[in-house]
């Protein structure tokens, strides 16, 4: 479909000749009402005449278009817009094009040369655009063009005044693009090359003839069309070619060290790296630009950065760091740390299951397995002192994490960790350091962590690309997830989690996060990791921490506190594959992740696995399932709750059942309740039979300690409705 401008009102400044005339004719031809502005002066800004504008108006009208003339200088911006309003009642598009030249070598540039150029180009564009702005804002539509020049972008001999004004227009456009975006006002900049009276003095006549203005106008028309979403762009255009420009920035280098003054010598010594465009980035916003600085502040000032090598030698031989051991670290904690961590990863007294991790007086008070990363995390800091590595911490990303427990973590104690650089990999665009941390309690190995960190831009040292020592991620099976748990994180999740020892202000300070390019402070990756791990522990291990063997995770995207985490789980024997998403956006935040569990049987010590075949209760549940299918609706009305059952045999949980008597026609599922249950009954297989057979009254069973009830205890009263008549089985 061809691009038309019917109903649109366009102002083109300096449209009496050259490029402006071409734009005006093209807009007029495609249905727009055009205000042809030109004061009709000479190329140096002298003189005035209405002839130039009138002629173009005539040309447009002769072709059946709508146009009016305006002879004011762009320095009278309001008057130009008023002409549009008087003639056509609105203003939709402004093409700031008017321009003059006063070329002089810099030394000979007078105040007048400087001021005139700035008044016409920069101040003129400002005044015209400001006059149009509120009209565009109110109608929620506007398209603005600024006209820059290659002389501004690259510099040009004899054009100091012009270059400065022309690049000033790009700065103006960049900010208008940001301020206008939400009102559908787009502002773009063109740097044209065309033969005109402005260029005929500098270009050979042939070139002036061949570089036609009509090869520039189509870009301007497209950028001004309502269908074009481009905003804040800069384009070079000429001879029928169009290219887009953007900024490029070297990776740079931090030359400051904590508690030391920054010196020009350090800058000199790092000069090659500062100016090296290998792996350069292309920041597209001030946030992206500032993010680096924020990272530098956070890393250097918290002591996690090491800055430049003071000798000036750049890093050295990373591969030589392999096998090096960091100084031993100790970590002392009490039940308070375990509880604080559990709260940090979202546990709440709302869920009776969680009391086991939140109340030190609970019979089965336990430390969450993923607390194993907390006891070892200070090892990361130690990386800075490994000879040969020369890590720039401002470029460090926590890429992956592996944790394996050899016994459940004690709920208090002093643990000792030993960290070793397991391997250093060269990924070209960066370097991966695998840090193995073994943690001991009184000489006994408690857990093993592998931190996998990626240092952007530190690759290319000729090292190997893969390692046998890396614990690798695993993709989930190709089928819908077997179980899904969705849980909202709280507004204060990061505020709480950080108290377990990660003090980066990125997770708490809004202005710090904003400077880093985030709309608000983000959640710690290891916090989502904690959520996902306890979801699996609940779904597949009945919160039995002794079942937890290991976890592997890759961190992909950030999460904002308050968003909901959706843990998708696939069970493949004792491996539970996990993928974690932000529910609201569908963004994957943890990928390739899995948890390995010890088989349930492992938990029983020497008596061998409990007999799980032929449970008497299985028969009853089979019958209950049939009745729910027949009478589900009636039961849902009577009970209106989700009841979970845990059947034990020889003191071990051997079966989960979930009776959903809350929604639809009801359902019975042979699986853990996934956090949905209003009440959970734990009962031994044989006692369950007694209850069902009417030999044991549920209340009595409860007081005798044979029936444990977690959750809404009042729902026990509804048991009769569910179980009655089973005595007849
Ligand atoms: P041009 O001289 O043919 O057109 C400029 C028009 O602006 C003239 O008709 C002039 O009367 C008008 N004008 C000057 N001062 C004015 C004022 N105060 N108020 C209203 N109108 C005024 O030049 P050309 O080449 O068409 O240039 C158009 C724009 O493109 C200028 O901003 C110029 O700096 C820019 N440009 C042109 C290049 C080229 O290769 N032609 C290269 C880079 C930039």
């Amino acid at each position: 479909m061809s691009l038309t401008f019917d109903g649109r009102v366009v102002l083109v400044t300096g449209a009496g000749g050259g490029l402006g005339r071409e734009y005006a004719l093209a807009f007029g031809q495609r249905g727009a009402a055009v205000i042809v502005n030109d004061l009709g002066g000479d190329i140096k800004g002298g003189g005035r005449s209405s002839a130039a504008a009138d002629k173009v108006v005539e040309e447009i009208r002769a072709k059946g278009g709508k146009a009016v003339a305006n002879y004011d200088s762009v320095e009278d911006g309001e008057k130009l817009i008023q002409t549009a309003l008087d003639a056509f009642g609105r203003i939709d598009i402004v093409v700031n094009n008017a321009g003059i030249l006063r070329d002089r070598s810099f030394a000979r540039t007078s105040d007048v040369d400087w001021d005139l150029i700035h008044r016409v180009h920069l101040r003129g564009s400002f005044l015209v655009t400001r006059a149009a702005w509120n009209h565009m804002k109110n109608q929620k539509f506007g398209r603005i063009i600024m006209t820059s020049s290659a002389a501004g972008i690259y510099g040009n001999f004899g054009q100091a005044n012009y270059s400065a004004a022309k690049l000033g227009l790009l700065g103006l456009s960049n900010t208008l693009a940001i301020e206008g975006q939400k009102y559908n006002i787009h502002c773009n900049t063109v740097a044209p090359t065309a033969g005109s009276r402005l260029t005929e003095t500098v270009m050979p006549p042939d070139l002036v003839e061949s570089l036609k203005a009509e090869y520039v106008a189509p870009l301007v028309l497209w950028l001004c069309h309502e269908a074009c979403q481009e905003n804040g762009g800069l384009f070079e255009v000429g001879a029928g070619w169009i290219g887009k420009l953007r900024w490029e920035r070297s990776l740079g280098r931090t030359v400051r060290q904590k508690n030391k003054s920054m010196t020009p010598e350090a800058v000199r010594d790092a000069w090659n790296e500062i100016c090296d465009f290998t792996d350069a980035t292309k920041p597209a916003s001030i946030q992206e630009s500032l993010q680096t600085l924020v990272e530098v502040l956070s890393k250097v000032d918290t002591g996690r950065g090491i800055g430049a090598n003071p000798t000036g030698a750049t890093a050295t031989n990373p591969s030589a760091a392999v096998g090096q051991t960091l100084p031993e670290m100790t970590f002392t904690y009490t039940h308070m740390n375990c509880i604080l961590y559990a709260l940090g990863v979202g546990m709440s007294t709302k869920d009776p299951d969680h009391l086991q991790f939140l109340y030190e007086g609970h019979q089965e008070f336990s430390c969450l397995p993923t607390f194993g990363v907390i006891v070892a995390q200070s090892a990361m800091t130690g990386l800075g002192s490994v000879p040969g590595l020369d890590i720039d911490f401002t470029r460090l990303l926590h890429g992956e994490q592996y944790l394996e427990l050899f016994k459940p973590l004690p709920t208090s104690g002093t643990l000792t960790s030993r960290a070793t650089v397991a391997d250093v990999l060269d990924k070209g665009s960066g370097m991966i350091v695998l840090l193995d941390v073994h943690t001991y309690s009184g000489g006994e190995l408690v857990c093993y962590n592998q931190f996998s960190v990626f240092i952007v831009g530190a690759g290319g040292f000729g090292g190997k690309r893969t390692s046998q020592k890396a614990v690798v991620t695993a993709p989930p099976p190709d089928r819908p997830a077997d179980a899904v748990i969705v849980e909202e994180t709280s507004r204060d999740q990061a505020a709480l989690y950080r108290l377990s020892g990660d003090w980066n202000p990125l997770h708490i300070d809004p202005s710090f996060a904003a400077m880093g390019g985030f709309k608000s402070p983000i959640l710690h990756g290891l916090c989502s990791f904690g959520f996902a791990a306890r979801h699996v522990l609940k779904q597949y291990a009945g919160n039995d921490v002794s079942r937890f063997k290991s976890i592997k995770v890759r961190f992909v995207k950030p999460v904002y506190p308050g968003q909901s985490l959706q843990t998708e789980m696939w069970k493949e024997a004792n491996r539970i594959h996990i993928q974690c998403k932000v529910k609201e956006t569908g963004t994957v935040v943890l990928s390739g992740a899995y948890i390995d569990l010890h088989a349930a049987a492992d938990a029983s010590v020497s008596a061998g696995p409990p007999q799980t075949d032929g449970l008497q209760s299985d028969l009853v549940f089979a019958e209950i399932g049939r009745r729910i299918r027949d009478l589900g609706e009636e039961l849902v009305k009577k009970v209106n709750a989700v009841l979970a059952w845990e059947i034990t045999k020889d003191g071990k949980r051997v079966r989960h059942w979930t009776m959903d008597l809350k929604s639809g026609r009801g359902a019975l599922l042979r699986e853990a309740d996934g956090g949905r249950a209003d009440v959970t009954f734990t009962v031994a297989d044989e006692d369950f039979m007694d209850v069902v057979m009417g030999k044991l009254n549920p209340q009595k069973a409860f007081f005798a300690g044979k029936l444990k009830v977690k959750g809404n205890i009042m729902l026990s009263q509804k048991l009769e409705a569910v179980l009655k008549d089973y005595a007849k089985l």
Side-chain angles (χ1 to χ4, degrees):
M1 235 180 50
S2 59
L3 298 170
T4 57
F5 292 85
D6 297 324
R8 295 290 180 209
V9 177
V10 185
L11 163 67
V12 182
T13 69
L19 286 162
R21 172 177 166 273
E22 203 60 44
Y23 303 154
L25 293 176
F27 276 117
Q29 205 165 28
R30 286 173 181 261
V34 189
I35 293 87
V36 179
N37 157 265
D38 208 303
L39 54 54
D42 60 33
I43 67 164
K44 293 192 168 181
R48 269 179 185 237
S49 135
S50 58
D54 285 343
K55 198 161 165 268
V56 177
V57 169
E58 278 318 307
E59 278 183 84
I60 294 173
R61 287 187 180 158
K63 289 184 184 156
K66 294 187 280 288
V68 296
N70 171 284
Y71 319 115
D72 294 305
S73 165
V74 287
E75 292 177 75
D76 292 317
E78 293 282 352
K79 291 187 183 163
L80 278 66
I81 299 303
Q82 198 55 50
T83 303
L85 298 177
D86 292 346
F88 304 110
R90 58 187 290 137
I91 180 70
D92 297 295
I93 297 167
V94 170
V95 181
N96 291 293
N97 165 80
I100 52 169
L101 282 180
R102 286 179 82 95
D103 292 359
R104 296 266 193 286
S105 66
F106 181 59
R108 290 157 50 97
T109 302
S110 68
D111 288 8
V112 176
D113 295 332
W114 181 268
D115 291 345
L116 252 183
I117 288 290
H118 275 73
R119 272 169 39 200
V120 174
H121 289 272
L122 190 50
R123 192 172 151 76
S125 300
F126 156 62
L127 290 169
V128 171
T129 307
R130 191 182 59 181
W133 190 259
N134 277 340
H135 300 285
M136 293 179 168
K137 212 168 134 180
N138 292 338
Q139 72 201 13
K140 294 226 162 22
F141 177 82
R143 294 288 183 268
I144 298 163
I145 298 292
M146 296 295 173
T147 306
S148 186
S149 162
I153 298 170
Y154 305 108
N156 197 22
F157 191 92
Q159 294 197 308
N161 52 356
Y162 181 77
S163 307
K166 283 308 204 190
L167 210 56
L169 284 162
L170 177 63
L172 174 61
S173 174
N174 286 341
T175 293
L176 295 191
I178 292 166
E179 291 193 17
Q181 177 74 44
K182 69 171 180 233
Y183 305 109
N184 190 21
I185 304 175
H186 296 172
C187 187
N188 289 287
T189 305
V190 296
T193 301
S196 75
R197 64 178 198 168
L198 279 193
T199 47
E200 66 192 1
T201 49
V202 291
M203 284 182 193
D206 281 2
L207 207 54
V208 171
E209 186 54 34
S210 352
L211 289 171
K212 295 186 194 308
E214 63 195 69
Y215 302 151
V216 174
L219 168 67
V220 169
L221 264 75
W222 164 240
L223 288 172
C224 291
H225 197 268
E226 62 197 20
C228 179
Q229 292 309 306
E230 186 70 38
N231 190 16
L234 168 64
F235 302 87
E236 276 188 74
V237 50
W241 168 89
I242 302 164
K244 184 172 180 178
L245 284 87
R246 66 179 169 190
W247 295 103
E248 188 180 39
R249 187 175 70 173
S250 75
L251 281 174
R253 181 170 163 91
T254 307
V255 291
R256 183 167 72 88
Q257 288 178 279
K258 193 185 181 191
N259 299 331
K260 291 198 182 152
S261 56
M262 185 172 162
T263 65
E265 290 76 18
V267 177
R268 174 197 62 202
D269 296 342
W271 196 243
N272 285 345
E273 272 184 273
I274 291 169
C275 301
D276 179 2
F277 275 91
T278 314
D279 296 321
T281 61
K282 295 165 184 78
S285 66
I286 195 163
Q287 285 80 9
E288 273 182 63
S289 158
L290 279 172
Q291 188 169 354
T292 309
L293 307 193
V294 172
E295 283 166 7
V296 171
L297 286 181
S298 121
K299 301 287 168 47
V300 176
D301 292 336
T302 56
R304 287 188 287 148
I306 54 161
N309 180 339
T311 65
T314 56
T316 57
N317 179 8
S319 306
V322 177
Q324 294 206 39
T325 301
L326 277 52
E328 201 169 86
M329 301 154 293
T330 56
F331 183 83
T332 300
Y333 66 104
T334 69
H335 63 273
M336 288 222 291
N337 301 74
C338 304
I339 295 171
L340 191 61
Y341 174 79
L343 291 167
V345 297
M347 292 209 130
S348 155
T349 53
K350 270 191 294 198
D351 188 334
D353 262 16
H354 291 176
L355 219 51
Q356 165 190 357
F357 300 99
L358 296 176
Y359 173 39
E360 71 288 359
H362 191 281
Q363 253 184 338
E364 292 168 38
F365 179 58
S366 318
C367 180
L368 274 172
T370 45
F371 185 72
V373 295
I374 302 293
V375 304
Q377 69 188 0
S378 60
M380 295 261 273
T381 326
L383 260 185
S385 57
V386 177
L389 269 188
D390 192 26
I391 288 179
D392 180 347
F393 274 66
T394 61
R395 301 188 201 149
L396 182 147
L397 304 170
H398 190 175
E400 296 181 14
Q401 184 69 32
Y402 177 74
L403 165 70
E404 181 169 352
L405 296 191
F406 299 96
K407 53 182 286 195
L409 290 166
T411 52
S412 65
T414 295
L415 304 182
T416 310
S417 291
R418 279 177 218 138
T420 311
V421 179
D423 224 336
V424 178
L425 307 180
D426 185 351
K427 291 286 183 187
S429 63
M431 166 171 81
I432 288 180
V433 179
L434 299 177
L435 187 69
D436 280 351
V437 186
H438 290 89
T439 302
Y440 303 84
S441 168
E444 194 185 354
L445 183 60
V446 178
C447 65
Y448 158 64
N449 277 278
Q450 185 175 76
F451 295 83
S452 175
V453 298
F454 188 79
I455 295 100
V456 181
F461 54 90
K464 56 182 181 170
R465 293 188 68 86
T466 55
S467 171
Q468 298 284 348
K469 296 193 186 138
V471 184
V472 293
T473 53
D478 187 14
R479 63 169 190 265
D482 301 335
V484 177
I485 293 185
V486 178
E487 197 175 357
E488 219 174 73
T489 64
S490 88
R491 180 70 179 73
D492 292 318
Q493 207 67 61
L496 202 52
Y497 183 83
R498 63 194 294 274
L499 303 182
S500 287
D502 188 330
W503 303 102
N504 190 337
L506 181 63
H507 305 293
I508 185 79
D509 184 338
S511 51
F512 203 89
M515 283 194 290
F518 298 102
K519 63 177 196 277
S520 58
I522 59 169
L523 201 58
H524 306 68
L526 280 174
C527 179
S528 314
F529 165 95
F531 267 78
R534 63 177 183 71
H535 288 161
V536 171
L537 200 65
K538 180 178 178 102
Q539 179 75 23
Y540 290 106
N543 281 330
D544 179 353
V545 294
S546 69
R547 298 274 314 277
F548 183 96
K549 178 170 181 282
S550 59
I551 177 168
K552 171 76 190 182
V553 155
R554 173 179 292 158
F555 303 105
V556 192
K557 283 270 158 67
V559 176
Y560 290 98
Q563 288 184 317
S564 302
L565 287 170
Q566 173 169 326
T567 308
E568 299 166 353
M569 297 168 259
W570 293 259
K571 184 168 178 351
E572 296 272 282
N574 286 324
R575 172 159 292 189
I576 316 297
H577 293 270
I578 330 167
Q579 173 167 272
C580 201
K581 288 179 180 161
V582 168
K583 175 152 191 288
E584 291 80 1
T585 60
T587 312
V588 175
V589 292
L590 303 178
S591 75
Y594 62 83
I595 286 181
D596 284 340
L597 297 173
H598 294 294
D602 289 358
S604 82
V605 197
S606 55
Q611 188 60 40
T612 58
D613 288 330
L615 289 179
Q616 300 177 53
S617 56
D618 280 357
L619 297 170
V620 180
F621 277 105
E623 180 58 22
I624 291 176
R626 273 192 288 277
R627 295 207 181 178
I628 290 180
R629 271 199 298 282
D630 294 341
L631 303 167
E633 261 165 304
E634 198 183 311
L635 283 170
V636 167
K637 260 189 225 141
K638 271 194 199 153
V639 180
N640 188 30
V642 177
L643 314 182
W645 292 87
E646 287 180 350
I647 306 297
T648 63
K649 182 99 180 160
D650 304 326
K652 300 289 163 209
R653 275 172 263 211
V654 290
R655 199 70 97 228
H656 296 281
W657 294 96
T658 303
M659 288 179 190
D660 182 352
L661 296 174
K662 200 171 197 167
S663 50
R665 314 190 56 227
L668 177 72
L669 308 163
R670 188 174 146 167
E671 61 187 41
D673 62 277
R676 291 181 299 141
D678 299 293
V679 60
T680 303
F681 301 101
T682 305
V683 61
D685 190 43
E686 53 277 16
D687 293 334
F688 178 73
M689 285 312 289
D690 284 352
V691 173
V692 170
M693 305 296 281
K695 286 189 208 161
L696 185 59
N697 163 298
Q699 275 76 30
K700 274 194 190 153
F702 176 72
F703 285 115
K706 291 184 171 180
L707 179 71
K708 292 203 180 102
V709 187
K710 279 194 220 166
N712 184 352
I713 199 164
M714 299 308 284
L715 287 168
S716 323
Q717 292 174 0
K718 307 236 174 159
L719 270 184
E720 238 200 294
V722 182
L723 301 178
K724 87 169 183 245
D725 292 336
Y726 287 89
K728 295 179 196 137
L729 276 172

